[in-house]
Amino acid sequence: MKIAVAFDHRGVALRDAVLASLAGHEVIDLGTHDASVRIDYPDKAREVGNAIQSGQAERGIIVCGSGAGAAIAACKMTGIRAAICHDLYSAHQAVEHDDMNVLCLGSEIIGASVARELVSVFVAARFDGGERYVARLEKVAAMEKETKT
């Protein structure tokens, strides 16, 4: 799987753990590498969203301080379904039922071992494709179109 990953300056704390969990996948590393240089999460969300929208990546992972800002910013982009997941159930269920394509993590909320588990569960999960889940996603897509008019 092709996965775009990005970290703002606070997210760098989980960088090694996230990247280690992606062994065997094609990683598109969008930085940052240096926690001392301020990088705003909306910029990283845009980079990951663009990678998915263009087809360069199938999924994405964004790490900021709480995960909240990254999720809010990423969800503003057409076709991006991002969520904060700090527990294993959410990390797989959001893919299986909601076709989440961007996992958002908070470096101030979880540690490296939990991050590794969450990333592993996220990339292993597959969208169920059941009728009720597809119908819900169609409603979400309709909402997205309504807000753009």
Side-chain angles (χ1 to χ4, degrees), residues 74-75 77 79-83 98-103 137 140:
C75 283
M77 300 182 72
I80 302 304
R81 294 170 303 282
D98 306 310
D99 203 18
M100 174 178 71
N101 55 12
V102 177
L103 173 67
L137 288 175
V140 171

Side-chain angles (χ1 to χ4, degrees), residues 40-92:
D40 292 333
Y41 64 80
D43 299 327
K44 292 299 162 186
R46 182 185 305 277
E47 291 174 15
V48 168
N50 285 341
I52 293 170
Q53 288 175 329
S54 70
Q56 290 178 295
E58 299 164 68
R59 292 193 192 166
I61 300 170
I62 310 168
V63 186
C64 65
S66 70
I72 291 167
C75 283
K76 298 294 182 189
M77 300 182 72
T78 301
I80 302 304
R81 294 170 303 282
I84 306 166
C85 296
H86 291 144
D87 63 88
L88 295 175
Y89 178 77
S90 300
H92 72 80

Side-chain angles (χ1 to χ4, degrees), residues 1 3 5 7 14-27 61 63 88 103 105 110-124:
M1 182 181 300
I3 304 167
V5 298
F7 309 84
L14 292 180
R15 181 179 172 73
D16 292 341
V18 169
L19 293 175
S21 299
L22 294 172
H25 296 279
E26 185 177 332
V27 176
I61 300 170
V63 186
L88 295 175
L103 173 67
L105 302 174
I110 60 169
S113 63
V114 173
R116 284 190 291 273
E117 289 181 282
L118 292 169
V119 169
S120 296
V121 167
F122 168 67
V123 297

